[in-house]
Amino acid sequence: QVQLVESGGGLVQAGGSLRLSCAASGSISSINVMGWYRQTPGKQRELVANIISGSGTNYADSVEGRFTISRDNAKNIVTLQMNSLKPEDTGVYYCNIRMLFTGVNYWGQGTQVMVSS
């Protein structure tokens, strides 16, 4: 059993910042990928950013240069620092991890981010 606990969402004005964190616990052997996705009504869940063990980071074009993803491997925590937020960043943000040996994905419960104009 793997649990992902997210925190840090909320309401912010355009231009502001938020920091999302996700802590993974439970039957974790080795995590390959840790990342964040977001979903807005009527749209598919999309990758915001992820960080791959030993390989680096990936960002959606829309957040490149504004968001920074980082991970603490010792604590199994992934953090998304979101700066210069825009109204189009509004959505439910989901933490995701993918295990190294099984390839199984786990998802957090989602945290709401709302950016007002």
Side-chain angles (χ1 to χ4, degrees):
Q1 191 79 6
V2 175
Q3 296 84 36
L4 300 180
V5 178
E6 300 155 339
S7 60
L11 172 64
V12 66
Q13 287 189 330
S17 298
L18 284 174
R19 185 180 180 90
L20 305 183
S21 290
C22 173
S25 63
S27 302
I28 297 173
S29 55
S30 185
I31 301 174
N32 183 22
V33 185
M34 302 186 82
W36 290 92
Y37 288 70
R38 70 183 172 202
Q39 190 162 21
T40 54
K43 293 187 178 181
Q44 287 189 333
R45 194 173 295 186
E46 61 175 356
L47 175 68
V48 176
N50 66 15
I51 183 164
I52 302 171
S53 181
S55 295
T57 58
N58 297 292
Y59 293 94
D61 290 343
S62 60
V63 308
E64 185 84 54
R66 299 187 296 121
F67 291 11
T68 303
I69 190 169
S70 60
R71 66 189 279 182
D72 182 332
N73 290 323
K75 297 180 179 180
N76 292 321
I77 292 174
V78 60
T79 300
L80 184 69
Q81 177 66 44
M82 305 186 292
N83 298 328
S84 303
L85 282 160
K86 304 177 181 179
E88 50 263 43
D89 294 319
T90 294
V92 179
Y93 283 68
Y94 294 91
C95 175
N96 167 264
I97 66 170
R98 187 185 313 152
M99 307 308 291
L100 176 62
F101 299 112
T102 64
V104 174
N105 280 284
Y106 295 94
W107 295 91
Q109 78 282 3
T111 184
Q112 178 73 52
V113 170
M114 188 170 294
V115 184
S116 63
S117 57

